[in-house]
Amino acid sequence: MVKYLQETTVADYTTPKFLDESQKGAYNKYSEKRKKRACNRMEQKKMVLRGEAALIIAVIINSLGVLLMLQSGSGISAISSVPYAFHQVFPKLTLGTWTYIFQGVLILTLMIMRKKFVPQYLCSFIVGFVFGKMLDIHEMWIGALPTALPWRTLYFVISYILICIRIALSNRCGLPIIPTDLFPRELSEIISAKYSKVKISFDVICLATTAAMTGFILGHIYGLGIGTVLAAFTMGKGIAIVGNAMDKHIAIAPYITNHIRRHGSHNAQYAGR
């Protein structure tokens, strides 16, 4: 039996039919160990990226992606459309400033609905504040880019990829995400509704607000285009593709969470002595 277990190379770890009942238990136990060793080897081959670094990268490339999409002339993402509309109507404040004002309103709304102060929401607002500042930084130079049609097409492709990467990183970093991503997720929990329905409704309301503000006040709809529609219908799939590719090659683990877990485990062991 031992010799058979050492020599077997069954690829799918299924129990051979010719083993009797007394041997099946030993074989299954051996197969589980082999699968665990294979999984451990795969994990060890992955590049480890700290969640904090992933969040920083996500904030930087997200702000760049939003502005590149605008520079392409194909529109803006739904969650950034409302601050953009306010910026067009009231240009004395920068796009970044309107962004974190809008995100602050979303955080305040969530706290009112929960009827309590949630510290994690404050952390999310800080992330959103940094995102708003990065928008202003990128806006200082991005207007100097060429605007010929081939360049604008390239800007849209790059922005689409960057936003997909940003969302995939944010979903895996294990840290607070920006309020515009947090709001539909938390709202779906508060009102006990499906996230997909809340997310779609939130995006539609944002786009309708943008169209109404710019259309009625400025006489022309700004910020909405073919890119907005294309992103709304295809970006979910793009995020899934990027996320699956990430999972194969990168292991994202936040240092803070791991440190707390190790510290808590150490305290538990110490208390049990």
Side-chain angles (χ1 to χ4, degrees), residues 11-84:
D12 59 357
Y13 301 103
T14 57
T15 305
K17 295 181 180 179
F18 57 82
L19 291 180
D20 58 36
E21 292 298 328
S22 62
Q23 294 173 323
K24 283 183 179 179
Y27 179 82
N28 290 336
K29 186 176 180 180
Y30 177 76
S31 295
E32 288 298 322
K33 289 182 179 179
R34 288 181 64 192
K35 285 189 283 186
K36 287 181 180 179
R37 285 198 297 268
C39 290
N40 289 336
R41 284 195 297 268
M42 290 178 64
E43 289 294 329
Q44 289 172 0
K45 291 180 181 179
K46 290 182 180 180
M47 181 185 74
V48 178
L49 178 65
R50 289 298 181 190
E52 292 78 6
L55 182 62
I56 292 171
I57 294 171
V59 170
I60 293 173
I61 65 175
N62 186 36
S63 53
L64 179 58
V66 167
L67 289 176
L68 276 177
M69 189 170 284
L70 271 175
Q71 188 72 4
S72 72
S74 58
I76 192 170
S77 62
I79 60 175
S80 298
S81 63
V82 173
Y84 179 75

Side-chain angles (χ1 to χ4, degrees), residues 49-56 120 123-124 127 169-178 181-182 185 252-258 260:
L49 178 65
R50 289 298 181 190
E52 292 78 6
L55 182 62
I56 292 171
Q120 290 85 347
C123 295
S124 178
V127 175
L169 284 172
S170 297
N171 289 340
R172 288 160 176 78
C173 70
L175 295 168
I177 55 180
I178 62 174
D181 290 337
L182 179 74
R185 189 186 74 184
I252 301 177
Y255 173 80
I256 294 174
T257 303
N258 290 343
I260 291 173

Side-chain angles (χ1 to χ4, degrees), residues 57-121:
I57 294 171
V59 170
I60 293 173
I61 65 175
N62 186 36
S63 53
L64 179 58
V66 167
L67 289 176
L68 276 177
M69 189 170 284
L70 271 175
Q71 188 72 4
S72 72
S74 58
I76 192 170
S77 62
I79 60 175
S80 298
S81 63
V82 173
Y84 179 75
F86 274 94
H87 174 57
Q88 293 299 311
V89 175
F90 306 105
K92 288 188 176 181
L93 295 180
T94 65
L95 176 60
T97 301
W98 279 117
T99 296
Y100 58 74
I101 289 175
F102 175 59
Q103 292 176 347
V105 172
L106 294 179
I107 292 297
L108 183 61
T109 302
L110 287 175
M111 289 189 182
I112 292 173
M113 294 185 73
R114 287 198 179 274
K115 299 178 181 179
K116 64 179 180 179
F117 175 78
V118 183
Q120 290 85 347
Y121 291 173

Side-chain angles (χ1 to χ4, degrees), residues 46-252:
K46 290 182 180 180
M47 181 185 74
V48 178
L49 178 65
R50 289 298 181 190
E52 292 78 6
L55 182 62
I56 292 171
I57 294 171
V59 170
I60 293 173
I61 65 175
N62 186 36
S63 53
L64 179 58
V66 167
L67 289 176
L68 276 177
M69 189 170 284
L70 271 175
Q71 188 72 4
S72 72
S74 58
I76 192 170
S77 62
I79 60 175
S80 298
S81 63
V82 173
Y84 179 75
F86 274 94
H87 174 57
Q88 293 299 311
V89 175
F90 306 105
K92 288 188 176 181
L93 295 180
T94 65
L95 176 60
T97 301
W98 279 117
T99 296
Y100 58 74
I101 289 175
F102 175 59
Q103 292 176 347
V105 172
L106 294 179
I107 292 297
L108 183 61
T109 302
L110 287 175
M111 289 189 182
I112 292 173
M113 294 185 73
R114 287 198 179 274
K115 299 178 181 179
K116 64 179 180 179
F117 175 78
V118 183
Q120 290 85 347
Y121 291 173
L122 183 60
C123 295
S124 178
F125 174 74
I126 293 172
V127 175
F129 179 82
V130 175
F131 166 65
K133 288 299 181 183
M134 290 304 304
L135 280 174
D136 290 340
I137 292 173
H138 288 312
E139 199 173 22
M140 293 171 63
W141 62 269
I142 209 161
L145 293 175
T147 56
L149 182 59
W151 285 106
R152 286 190 285 136
T153 304
L154 179 62
Y155 300 154
F156 176 76
V157 173
I158 293 174
S159 67
Y160 186 95
I161 295 172
L162 287 178
I163 293 174
C164 286
I165 293 173
R166 186 277 297 181
I167 296 176
L169 284 172
S170 297
N171 289 340
R172 288 160 176 78
C173 70
L175 295 168
I177 55 180
I178 62 174
T180 44
D181 290 337
L182 179 74
F183 184 81
R185 189 186 74 184
E186 292 295 302
L187 183 60
S188 66
E189 180 182 327
I190 293 171
I191 64 176
S192 299
K194 287 182 65 175
Y195 170 78
S196 57
K197 291 183 178 180
V198 174
K199 173 61 175 171
I200 292 172
S201 300
F202 178 63
D203 288 350
V204 169
I205 291 171
C206 287
L207 295 176
T209 302
T210 300
M213 282 190 64
T214 57
F216 287 117
I217 298 176
L218 301 179
H220 180 74
I221 296 177
Y222 289 90
L224 306 184
I226 186 63
T228 307
V229 178
L230 185 63
F233 283 98
T234 66
M235 192 164 282
K237 184 64 176 178
I239 294 166
I241 293 172
V242 171
N244 291 334
M246 258 182 214
D247 293 336
K248 291 179 181 178
H249 304 287
I250 302 173
I252 301 177

